[in-house]
Amino acid sequence: MPEFAPQILRFDSLPSTNLEAAKRAVQGAPEGLCIVASEQTAGRGRLQRHWISPKNAGLYFSIILRPELDQRIWPLVTLMASIAVHDTLLDAYAVETDIKWPNDILVNESKLCGILAETVDTPLGRAIVVGIGINLTSKSFPPELEGIAASLEAAANQAVDPEVVLKALVNALGSYYQKLQQPAGTHEILRTWCAFSSYAQGKRIRVTDSNESFIGITRGLECDGALRVETDRAEIKIVRAGDVTNVRPWERRA
Ligand code: BTN
């Protein structure tokens, strides 16, 4: 496995760090290229959502990876990224987070960080761009994010330095990415994700995708990172896409 050598490119403003990283991947940029922007004017989220990215209020970061893994298990790369974020926030700021499947980072059930992984076909083969957005401060939260989103500053109860977060995150990503590509790596990533996520086992959730919406209880992960959910009819459904939300006791019925 080649040495993982991250290289960071910083921008004042970009439409989206994921778009910039994808463009550079197509131009042949190597694995490990990181794109960071102080603001995004068209930040992208999962499920075609917009990621609000005000100037200097968040870490907006994307990295190009070219995994030497069977593409059927590439979803593990996004789980790996969520583990890296979890470790970074714990080590750098003693903030305990939860991971909501597949890769939302929560504090007290509010979203602190989102991850968007997108594959891109390049002359060097298929690559994956992993984009990570961490809310650093709530000062610039628009009204629609009040009460839904969390910030690292509030969770850590101290000012945060984006460079500290960035450095720790790049290190954690490098180390978990190398782990993932070792022989027992996929098992290790699945096990670690389950240890960090309250959504892995026994959580009552609603799953919503373009076709259906149902309630069930989580029953661990498949080998490719898909979520196993047991419905009220004792049927196991394998969830590979869609939105997962916690079902509170007062909304128990499907
Ligand atoms: C989500 O919907 O939860 C995923 C959000 C991912 C946002 C990050 S910010 C950096 C990178 N660039 C983007 O346009 N999106 C990702």
Side-chain angles (χ1 to χ4, degrees):
M1 192 193 338
E3 182 75 10
F4 184 75
Q7 187 210 344
I8 298 175
L9 282 187
R10 291 177 171 78
F11 293 82
D12 202 35
S13 179
L14 281 175
S16 154
T17 56
N18 264 34
L19 276 182
E20 182 67 28
K23 192 176 89 191
R24 286 171 186 260
V26 170
Q27 290 165 352
E31 164 162 282
L33 182 70
C34 305
I35 306 289
V36 184
S38 305
E39 77 170 347
Q40 297 183 117
T41 53
R44 290 140 63 109
R46 281 183 72 231
L47 309 172
Q48 318 296 328
R49 292 178 187 138
H50 184 61
W51 186 259
I52 299 167
S53 314
K55 191 154 201 137
N56 299 324
L59 179 67
Y60 315 120
F61 163 94
S62 301
I63 185 166
I64 298 171
L65 299 174
R66 298 182 181 277
E68 288 175 7
L69 292 170
D70 185 327
Q71 286 189 22
R72 283 171 298 187
I73 57 165
W74 279 25
L76 296 184
V77 175
T78 66
L79 300 191
M80 176 284 292
S82 63
I83 297 170
V85 174
H86 174 281
D87 269 14
T88 298
L89 303 180
L90 189 59
D91 292 352
Y93 288 100
V95 170
E96 282 277 2
T97 56
D98 192 9
I99 309 176
K100 179 164 78 74
W101 188 90
N103 47 28
D104 282 353
I105 308 292
L106 310 181
V107 172
N108 297 328
E109 299 196 26
S110 296
K111 189 154 162 176
L112 177 61
C113 164
I115 300 174
L116 174 67
E118 299 179 289
T119 52
V120 47
D121 287 314
T122 83
L124 300 176
R126 184 164 281 189
I128 181 163
V129 170
V130 179
I132 301 178
I134 303 179
N135 302 323
L136 297 180
T137 170
S138 55
K139 281 186 197 124
S140 321
F141 276 174
E144 64 263 36
L145 288 188
E146 299 287 346
I148 302 174
S151 78
L152 182 55
E153 199 173 68
N157 201 20
Q158 60 175 285
V160 295
D161 180 344
E163 284 303 309
V164 169
V165 183
L166 175 63
K167 205 169 155 210
L169 180 59
V170 171
N171 279 340
L173 279 169
S175 121
Y176 275 113
Y177 182 56
Q178 293 207 299
K179 210 169 264 179
L180 173 62
Q181 295 189 91
Q182 279 158 14
T186 57
H187 177 73
E188 178 74 357
I189 292 300
L190 289 165
R191 193 189 56 74
T192 309
W193 190 94
C194 289
F196 291 164
S197 172
S198 75
Y199 284 75
Q201 280 284 358
K203 185 102 160 179
R204 196 155 174 88
I205 58 162
R206 176 179 289 280
V207 180
T208 309
D209 69 16
S210 44
N211 300 320
E212 59 174 350
S213 174
F214 65 92
I215 286 179
I217 296 182
T218 60
R219 298 287 184 226
L221 298 179
E222 292 283 289
C223 299
D224 64 355
L227 186 63
R228 295 164 60 86
V229 183
E230 184 177 343
T231 67
D232 290 343
R233 295 178 174 181
E235 178 195 354
I236 295 284
K237 291 207 182 209
I238 308 297
V239 178
R240 292 202 158 78
D243 224 10
V244 161
T245 47
N246 184 10
V247 174
R248 292 158 216 276
W250 56 87
E251 19 168 0
R252 288 247 166 231
R253 296 265 35 103

